[in-house]
């Protein structure tokens, strides 16, 4: 334990490159604070805030790159090779060594937790052999082929699914370092404190009509406007909730529409769990954070958008399991929605699959593991 403090310090490193990784970091912090109040000092830190130009602009540039299929495809293929991982570590070491060393001096801790692949690989490589602080990587992708998650010198690896576990073992990770727990999500996605009718009444929804939730992630990406217009045109007697995230332009455009149904347009919302619990069906981008939250709530999904190649594994995983339908065009979304609304028994099957795949206890179990490591009760082999 660090001198001068009674509380073990846990440093959670993430990158502000979308909601998924930050949400995982926040879920970890929340779970530890709920289960072990005032016993641990948990700090979240975006590593890129420590970098100078041009690395400090990585999060904003990442949104641009991820939207370009040729770049996304190249980055995914690059990240699926152990040799390229080693080259990436060698190349970035001179740029990041002093940054990470300064970060550690200014943020002394008893445990380092990473929830982002491009944070995990360079940090572990640079700290390897230079300090005795244990490192834990929490893989916050529901299904991934990204080798950058898997560094052989990490002390512990927290995985979300058996599919990801197979990838980790394929690239040579020691099975004794692995905990198969799931993707950590906030507690309010795990426990419903009101009935669905109460939540709908509070949110201004008609409790007697199905609620369709349409969202495009934190940045509000995908054909949201066209999808919303087709759904509103082809269906009656529904509640349609559209979450535009930080896409203010899209929100303004949707406010100007004349709608046939009860349509609610929201921008970025903190209380996304309320809208999840109110929904019968989620039309969503295939980002891991929202998908893990939907699984925990038990709402089946129509996936209408994904980051090319980077989120393909999420789509395949959920569709093959029967928890989601892949519908990449507004018309196909409407067809999938019609199928589930007219065949409620099929939608109920998808709901059961969601609950089977859900890991609502992941954050709580992860809190137990991380605090055990910070206290020295769980030691790496």
């Amino acid at each position: 334990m660090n001198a001068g403090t009674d509380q073990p310090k846990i440093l959670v490193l993430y990158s502000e490159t979308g909601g998924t990784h930050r949400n995982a970091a926040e879920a970890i912090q929340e779970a530890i604070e709920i289960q072990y109040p005032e016993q641990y000092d948990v700090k979240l830190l975006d590593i890129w805030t420590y970098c100078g130009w041009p690395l400090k602009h990585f999060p904003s540039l990442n949104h641009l790159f991820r939207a370009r299929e040729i770049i996304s495809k190249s980055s995914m293929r690059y990240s699926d090779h152990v040799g390229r991982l080693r080259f990436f570590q060698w190349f970035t070491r001179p740029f990041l060594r002093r940054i990470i060393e300064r970060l550690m001096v200014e943020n002394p801790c008893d445990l380092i937790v990473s929830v982002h692949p491009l944070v995990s690989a360079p940090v572990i490589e640079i700290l390897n052999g230079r300090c005795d602080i244990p490192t834990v990587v929490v893989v916050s992708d529901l299904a991934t082929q990204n080798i950058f998650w898997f560094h052989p010198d990490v002390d512990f690896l927290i995985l979300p699914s058996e599919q990801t576990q197979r990838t980790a073992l394929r690239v040579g990770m020691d099975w004794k370092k692995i905990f198969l727990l799931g993707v950590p999500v906030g507690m309010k996605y795990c426990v419903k404190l009101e009935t669905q009718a109460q939540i709908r009444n509070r949110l201004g929804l008609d409790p007697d009509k199905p609620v369709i939730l349409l969202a495009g992630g934190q940045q509000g990406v995908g054909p949201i406007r066209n999808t919303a217009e087709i759904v509103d045109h082809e269906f009656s007697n529904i509640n349609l909730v559209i979450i535009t995230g930080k896409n203010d332009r899209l929100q303004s455009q949707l406010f100007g529409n004349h709608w046939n149904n009860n349509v609610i347009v929201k921008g970025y919302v903190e209380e996304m769990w309320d809208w999840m619990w109110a929904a019968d069906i989620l039309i969503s981008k295939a980002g891991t954070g929202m998908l893990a939250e939907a699984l925990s709530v038990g709402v089946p999904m129509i996936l209408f958008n994904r980051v090319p190649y980077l989120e393909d594994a999420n789509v395949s995983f959920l569709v093959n399991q029967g928890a989601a339908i892949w519908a990449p065009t507004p018309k196909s979304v409407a067809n999938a929605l019609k199928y589930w609304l007219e065949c409620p028994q099929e939608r109920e099957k998808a709901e059961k699959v969601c609950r089977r795949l859900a890991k609502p206890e992941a954050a709580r179990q992860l809190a137990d593991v991380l605090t055990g490591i910070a206290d020295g009760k769980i030691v790496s082999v």
Side-chain angles (χ1 to χ4, degrees), residues 11-262:
L11 181 63
V12 183
L13 301 176
Y14 71 102
S15 174
E16 191 64 69
T17 53
T20 291
H21 308 294
R22 188 196 62 194
N23 289 352
E26 291 176 344
I28 291 170
Q29 183 181 47
E30 177 191 49
I32 294 175
E33 291 177 349
I34 289 176
Q35 291 187 226
Y36 304 94
E38 300 182 0
Q39 296 181 47
Y40 297 88
D41 181 4
V42 183
K43 182 176 182 180
L44 309 187
L45 182 64
D46 181 353
I47 188 174
W48 304 109
T49 61
Y50 266 75
C51 300
W53 187 91
L55 291 179
K56 69 178 181 180
H57 297 295
F58 172 76
S60 57
L61 291 174
N62 185 69
H63 296 306
L64 177 63
F65 291 160
R66 283 159 66 97
R68 301 296 187 269
E69 183 161 339
I70 188 171
I71 300 176
S72 180
K73 177 179 178 179
S74 299
S75 65
M76 185 60 187
R77 288 182 173 176
Y78 185 90
S79 66
D80 189 22
H81 192 280
V82 175
R84 293 168 188 148
L85 167 61
R86 299 292 176 260
F87 175 79
F88 173 79
Q89 292 167 334
W90 170 82
F91 179 78
T92 58
R93 187 181 181 91
F95 298 98
L96 294 178
R97 180 176 58 82
R98 290 185 180 180
I99 292 170
I100 293 174
E101 289 175 349
R102 178 168 65 90
L103 180 151
M104 297 308 303
V105 169
E106 296 179 6
N107 300 275
C109 60
D110 300 282
L111 173 64
I112 300 171
V113 181
S114 171
V115 297
H116 194 285
L118 293 185
V119 173
S120 303
V123 169
I124 295 169
E125 181 71 14
I126 291 170
L127 293 181
N128 184 31
R130 301 174 67 89
C131 71
D132 57 358
I133 302 173
T135 55
V136 178
V137 171
V138 178
V139 177
S140 51
D141 285 341
L142 194 61
T144 183
Q145 299 296 318
N146 190 341
I147 305 303
F148 282 46
W149 282 114
F150 310 122
H151 193 289
D153 294 324
V154 69
D155 291 291
F156 296 99
L157 183 65
I158 313 298
L159 298 180
S161 65
E162 292 181 355
Q163 178 174 327
T164 307
Q165 184 180 41
R166 288 192 292 270
T167 302
L169 295 175
R170 174 174 63 84
V171 299
M173 294 298 299
D174 187 339
W175 65 268
K176 295 187 290 294
K177 297 181 177 183
I178 293 175
F179 288 85
L180 186 60
L181 300 182
V183 177
V185 300
M187 296 299 292
K188 292 182 179 178
Y189 294 98
C190 304
V191 179
K192 183 166 65 172
L193 300 178
E194 302 172 85
T195 67
Q196 189 177 67
Q198 289 172 327
I199 297 172
R200 289 180 175 184
N201 280 326
R202 178 164 53 81
L203 296 177
L205 299 166
D206 187 334
D208 297 322
K209 297 178 181 179
V211 176
I212 313 304
L213 178 60
L214 171 59
Q218 187 183 62
Q219 301 302 319
V221 299
I224 295 177
R225 183 177 182 181
N226 290 343
T227 301
E229 290 173 346
I230 286 181
V231 168
D232 181 63
H233 179 265
E234 296 198 7
F235 296 88
S236 59
N237 296 319
I238 64 170
N239 297 280
L240 177 60
V241 180
I242 309 167
I243 308 294
T244 64
K246 297 181 179 179
N247 192 334
D248 296 333
R249 182 168 178 265
L250 174 62
Q251 184 181 14
S252 297
Q253 291 173 342
L254 293 174
F255 274 142
N257 277 31
H258 174 73
W259 303 102
N260 299 314
N261 290 280
N262 178 30

Side-chain angles (χ1 to χ4, degrees), residues 286 291 303 305-306 311-320 324 326:
L291 302 187
L303 304 178
N305 187 255
R306 91 279 188 255
E311 291 174 350
D312 284 354
N314 286 343
V315 175
S316 299
F317 177 74
L318 291 178
V319 171
N320 291 338
W326 172 239

